[in-house]
Amino acid sequence: MRGLGVRRVLLGVFLAALACGPLAGRFAGRGTTYDVVLTGGRVVDPASGLDAVRDVGISDGHIAAIATRQLAGRDVIDVSGLVVAPGFVDLHAHGQDETSRWLQARDGVTTALDMEVGVWPVAPWYAEQEGRSPIHFGAAAGHIPARRKLKHDVDAGHPPTSSRELQELFIRERAWAYDAASPAEIDRLVALLEAGLHDGAPGIGVGLQYTPAAGQDEILRVFELAGRTHAPIFVHTRWISMSAPGSSIEAVQEVLADAAATGASLHIMHVASSGLRQTPVILDLIDGARQHGVDVSTEAYPYTAASTVLASAFFDPGWDKRLGISYGDLQWAATGERLTRASFERYRKTATGNAIVHMIPEEVVTTAIASPLVMIASDGMVFRTGGEHPRGAGTFARILGRYVRERGTIGLMDAIRKTSLMPADRLAGYVPAMRRKGRLAVGADADVTVFDAARVLDRATYEKPMQASEGIRHVLVNGTPVVRDGAPVKGALPGRPVRAEAAEPSA
Ligand SMILES: [Zn+2]
């Protein structure tokens, strides 16, 4: 209860600061020397609609002034000719490791959370990350790792990043994915997830397609937990298929029904790769559900290929028919080779890596990015399995370079809204501190991305997925530069945990 009081006071102070922000920018602070000043840049802030040249003054990790005149700072960074945007917030970042985080920082990301697979147990994982990350980090209380605890008594923390761990999970342990849970086990599973929320997880993560044995009754119980605690629930839906039964549309209908029945706040992961050609219908479903009171949101990444563990349930028999593709549409991430039936069978048994899955039509990607319902998230993976998908390094620069500048699919303001404000606000109902992210305003956290709109572009490819983006000039996390003049700042680790104060009794 004490936590709630402190939170209210902090929120009040913040809102007051926001209210007098423009005045503070114009009149206050004369004679002030800020810690850092970004001078002469084009400030684009979707929350206020501001798109104009301003100086941004930063002190004590917060934005202290946004002014039309030149501000004084101990560290003045000339950003004239560049866009100054709120730091990008990625709600779907599996790469919770040093290499991935640095690549994301160089892609303009200042907060990267794994809200899909998540972790279990939660508290030790957060403790382990403290002081080790250039960008803000966090993870959901994960249904997959909790089911692993239930069925195998494994305290695995974050899901595997090494070949050995992948073998353990997908070859030796199978029950977490393929064994149904009894009513007593479902009670225990819900209790494990609730413990994860009490540890401060900012939501619940569910990767339904990877746990085919998790019945609709089990998932409804997990949604009930989300509804009761107000923790948002993030779901990779049950099926990807263009035909019923088991179509992509039905998979979305299941979670929309669960959200409507429980009052849970629902986020559907990567709508384009889960929806494929059914994506327009799914977007209609989501839009209609929102108009009728269901709190649901969604996201997409800007690529025509997916990527996932070849040994997972994703590739259980019938995958080719369901997805409408065949062996040659799969690429073994570690080597870049296209698969055949023989190499598919061989690699699937060894479980040491991911396949790139070329299955998303470009017009589906474009439809998703253009939809005002859809925010941007990378679904970036871990980089220790010998190869990966470029989305972990290039998603955000690709949106700005290819879909804003080259193709004009969306405007710059919309792109920045989809990459910063929308994802920050998605969590803010449960994690009030997220209201200080995703915006450039006095009192907001000084998480800032400065890029060259004429040059910003992804460089990561399916063959070379770890090439950092270009045109991202400066990235500040809590006012500390982690990327400066396009280069990572060695040893800068200002990233803080994103967590909920979930110890309050639920209403
Ligand atoms: Zn997913």
Side-chain angles (χ1 to χ4, degrees), residues 92 94 116-117 207 210 235-236 269-270 273-274 379 381:
H92 195 164
H94 297 296
E116 184 197 63
V117 175
Y210 299 99
V235 185
H236 173 132
M269 316 315 281
H270 43 54
S273 61
S274 287
D379 196 9
M381 295 266 180

PDB file of all heavy atoms in Angstrom, residues 92 94 116-117 207 210 235-236 269-270 273-274 379 381, ligand 1:
ATOM      1  N   HIS A  92       8.682  -6.879 -27.758  1.00  0.00           N
ATOM      2  CA  HIS A  92       8.856  -8.271 -28.165  1.00  0.00           C
ATOM      3  C   HIS A  92      10.311  -8.506 -28.543  1.00  0.00           C
ATOM      4  O   HIS A  92      10.657  -8.612 -29.724  1.00  0.00           O
ATOM      5  CB  HIS A  92       7.912  -8.571 -29.336  1.00  0.00           C
ATOM      6  CG  HIS A  92       7.732 -10.016 -29.615  1.00  0.00           C
ATOM      7  ND1 HIS A  92       6.703 -10.483 -30.387  1.00  0.00           N
ATOM      8  CD2 HIS A  92       8.439 -11.107 -29.230  1.00  0.00           C
ATOM      9  CE1 HIS A  92       6.787 -11.805 -30.469  1.00  0.00           C
ATOM     10  NE2 HIS A  92       7.834 -12.200 -29.788  1.00  0.00           N
ATOM     11  N   HIS A  94      13.276 -11.039 -27.706  1.00  0.00           N
ATOM     12  CA  HIS A  94      13.748 -12.263 -27.046  1.00  0.00           C
ATOM     13  C   HIS A  94      15.232 -12.180 -26.712  1.00  0.00           C
ATOM     14  O   HIS A  94      15.708 -12.915 -25.869  1.00  0.00           O
ATOM     15  CB  HIS A  94      13.504 -13.475 -27.957  1.00  0.00           C
ATOM     16  CG  HIS A  94      12.057 -13.734 -28.237  1.00  0.00           C
ATOM     17  ND1 HIS A  94      11.166 -14.073 -27.255  1.00  0.00           N
ATOM     18  CD2 HIS A  94      11.338 -13.674 -29.379  1.00  0.00           C
ATOM     19  CE1 HIS A  94       9.965 -14.236 -27.792  1.00  0.00           C
ATOM     20  NE2 HIS A  94      10.040 -13.987 -29.075  1.00  0.00           N
ATOM     21  N   GLU A 116       6.622 -12.038 -24.656  1.00  0.00           N
ATOM     22  CA  GLU A 116       5.974 -13.228 -25.210  1.00  0.00           C
ATOM     23  C   GLU A 116       6.398 -14.500 -24.469  1.00  0.00           C
ATOM     24  O   GLU A 116       5.615 -15.076 -23.726  1.00  0.00           O
ATOM     25  CB  GLU A 116       6.292 -13.377 -26.703  1.00  0.00           C
ATOM     26  CG  GLU A 116       5.545 -14.545 -27.340  1.00  0.00           C
ATOM     27  CD  GLU A 116       6.135 -14.961 -28.680  1.00  0.00           C
ATOM     28  OE1 GLU A 116       7.303 -15.394 -28.704  1.00  0.00           O
ATOM     29  OE2 GLU A 116       5.447 -14.860 -29.683  1.00  0.00           O
ATOM     30  N   VAL A 117       7.613 -14.928 -24.652  1.00  0.00           N
ATOM     31  CA  VAL A 117       8.066 -16.142 -23.950  1.00  0.00           C
ATOM     32  C   VAL A 117       8.251 -15.836 -22.468  1.00  0.00           C
ATOM     33  O   VAL A 117       7.825 -16.591 -21.603  1.00  0.00           O
ATOM     34  CB  VAL A 117       9.375 -16.683 -24.571  1.00  0.00           C
ATOM     35  CG1 VAL A 117       9.888 -17.858 -23.748  1.00  0.00           C
ATOM     36  CG2 VAL A 117       9.122 -17.128 -26.006  1.00  0.00           C
ATOM     37  N   GLY A 207       3.001 -18.341 -25.342  1.00  0.00           N
ATOM     38  CA  GLY A 207       3.396 -18.739 -26.706  1.00  0.00           C
ATOM     39  C   GLY A 207       2.635 -19.984 -27.105  1.00  0.00           C
ATOM     40  O   GLY A 207       3.169 -21.070 -27.237  1.00  0.00           O
ATOM     41  N   TYR A 210       3.464 -23.029 -29.286  1.00  0.00           N
ATOM     42  CA  TYR A 210       4.568 -23.894 -28.856  1.00  0.00           C
ATOM     43  C   TYR A 210       4.154 -24.882 -27.774  1.00  0.00           C
ATOM     44  O   TYR A 210       4.929 -25.742 -27.383  1.00  0.00           O
ATOM     45  CB  TYR A 210       5.745 -23.024 -28.382  1.00  0.00           C
ATOM     46  CG  TYR A 210       6.240 -22.143 -29.498  1.00  0.00           C
ATOM     47  CD1 TYR A 210       5.857 -20.804 -29.589  1.00  0.00           C
ATOM     48  CD2 TYR A 210       7.045 -22.664 -30.501  1.00  0.00           C
ATOM     49  CE1 TYR A 210       6.273 -20.011 -30.642  1.00  0.00           C
ATOM     50  CE2 TYR A 210       7.471 -21.879 -31.561  1.00  0.00           C
ATOM     51  CZ  TYR A 210       7.077 -20.543 -31.628  1.00  0.00           C
ATOM     52  OH  TYR A 210       7.485 -19.773 -32.676  1.00  0.00           O
ATOM     53  N   VAL A 235       0.101 -12.621 -26.277  1.00  0.00           N
ATOM     54  CA  VAL A 235      -0.100 -13.985 -26.778  1.00  0.00           C
ATOM     55  C   VAL A 235       0.366 -14.169 -28.229  1.00  0.00           C
ATOM     56  O   VAL A 235      -0.028 -13.414 -29.121  1.00  0.00           O
ATOM     57  CB  VAL A 235      -1.593 -14.388 -26.679  1.00  0.00           C
ATOM     58  CG1 VAL A 235      -1.766 -15.855 -27.084  1.00  0.00           C
ATOM     59  CG2 VAL A 235      -2.132 -14.177 -25.266  1.00  0.00           C
ATOM     60  N   HIS A 236       1.194 -15.187 -28.404  1.00  0.00           N
ATOM     61  CA  HIS A 236       1.432 -15.762 -29.741  1.00  0.00           C
ATOM     62  C   HIS A 236       0.329 -16.808 -29.872  1.00  0.00           C
ATOM     63  O   HIS A 236       0.294 -17.780 -29.132  1.00  0.00           O
ATOM     64  CB  HIS A 236       2.834 -16.374 -29.785  1.00  0.00           C
ATOM     65  CG  HIS A 236       3.153 -17.145 -31.029  1.00  0.00           C
ATOM     66  ND1 HIS A 236       4.314 -16.969 -31.737  1.00  0.00           N
ATOM     67  CD2 HIS A 236       2.470 -18.107 -31.688  1.00  0.00           C
ATOM     68  CE1 HIS A 236       4.336 -17.796 -32.781  1.00  0.00           C
ATOM     69  NE2 HIS A 236       3.217 -18.499 -32.766  1.00  0.00           N
ATOM     70  N   MET A 269       0.698 -10.968 -30.555  1.00  0.00           N
ATOM     71  CA  MET A 269       2.033 -10.809 -31.112  1.00  0.00           C
ATOM     72  C   MET A 269       1.990 -10.911 -32.650  1.00  0.00           C
ATOM     73  O   MET A 269       1.179 -11.635 -33.215  1.00  0.00           O
ATOM     74  CB  MET A 269       3.013 -11.886 -30.608  1.00  0.00           C
ATOM     75  CG  MET A 269       2.988 -12.220 -29.128  1.00  0.00           C
ATOM     76  SD  MET A 269       2.925 -10.881 -27.933  1.00  0.00           S
ATOM     77  CE  MET A 269       4.592 -10.282 -27.842  1.00  0.00           C
ATOM     78  N   HIS A 270       2.921 -10.232 -33.267  1.00  0.00           N
ATOM     79  CA  HIS A 270       3.200 -10.302 -34.717  1.00  0.00           C
ATOM     80  C   HIS A 270       2.003 -10.736 -35.580  1.00  0.00           C
ATOM     81  O   HIS A 270       1.951 -11.864 -36.084  1.00  0.00           O
ATOM     82  CB  HIS A 270       4.402 -11.203 -35.004  1.00  0.00           C
ATOM     83  CG  HIS A 270       4.462 -12.498 -34.220  1.00  0.00           C
ATOM     84  ND1 HIS A 270       3.438 -13.402 -34.193  1.00  0.00           N
ATOM     85  CD2 HIS A 270       5.436 -13.010 -33.442  1.00  0.00           C
ATOM     86  CE1 HIS A 270       3.777 -14.421 -33.437  1.00  0.00           C
ATOM     87  NE2 HIS A 270       4.988 -14.208 -32.962  1.00  0.00           N
ATOM     88  N   SER A 273       2.758 -12.238 -39.281  1.00  0.00           N
ATOM     89  CA  SER A 273       3.307 -13.597 -39.413  1.00  0.00           C
ATOM     90  C   SER A 273       2.344 -14.635 -38.856  1.00  0.00           C
ATOM     91  O   SER A 273       2.384 -15.793 -39.262  1.00  0.00           O
ATOM     92  CB  SER A 273       4.673 -13.707 -38.734  1.00  0.00           C
ATOM     93  OG  SER A 273       4.577 -13.439 -37.359  1.00  0.00           O
ATOM     94  N   SER A 274       1.465 -14.261 -37.936  1.00  0.00           N
ATOM     95  CA  SER A 274       0.452 -15.209 -37.455  1.00  0.00           C
ATOM     96  C   SER A 274      -0.779 -15.218 -38.350  1.00  0.00           C
ATOM     97  O   SER A 274      -1.480 -16.216 -38.439  1.00  0.00           O
ATOM     98  CB  SER A 274       0.028 -14.870 -36.023  1.00  0.00           C
ATOM     99  OG  SER A 274       1.044 -15.199 -35.116  1.00  0.00           O
ATOM    100  N   ASP A 379      10.413  -8.947 -32.334  1.00  0.00           N
ATOM    101  CA  ASP A 379      10.468 -10.407 -32.177  1.00  0.00           C
ATOM    102  C   ASP A 379      11.914 -10.877 -32.344  1.00  0.00           C
ATOM    103  O   ASP A 379      12.155 -12.016 -32.742  1.00  0.00           O
ATOM    104  CB  ASP A 379       9.531 -11.113 -33.182  1.00  0.00           C
ATOM    105  CG  ASP A 379       9.257 -12.566 -32.825  1.00  0.00           C
ATOM    106  OD1 ASP A 379       9.638 -13.003 -31.720  1.00  0.00           O
ATOM    107  OD2 ASP A 379       8.672 -13.269 -33.668  1.00  0.00           O
ATOM    108  N   MET A 381      15.574 -12.293 -31.796  1.00  0.00           N
ATOM    109  CA  MET A 381      15.932 -13.511 -31.076  1.00  0.00           C
ATOM    110  C   MET A 381      17.307 -13.405 -30.449  1.00  0.00           C
ATOM    111  O   MET A 381      18.011 -12.433 -30.607  1.00  0.00           O
ATOM    112  CB  MET A 381      15.928 -14.690 -32.046  1.00  0.00           C
ATOM    113  CG  MET A 381      14.566 -14.988 -32.588  1.00  0.00           C
ATOM    114  SD  MET A 381      13.763 -16.248 -31.605  1.00  0.00           S
ATOM    115  CE  MET A 381      12.220 -16.373 -32.485  1.00  0.00           C
TER     116      MET A 381
HETATM  117 ZN    ZN B   1       5.944 -15.391 -31.466  1.00  0.00          ZN
END
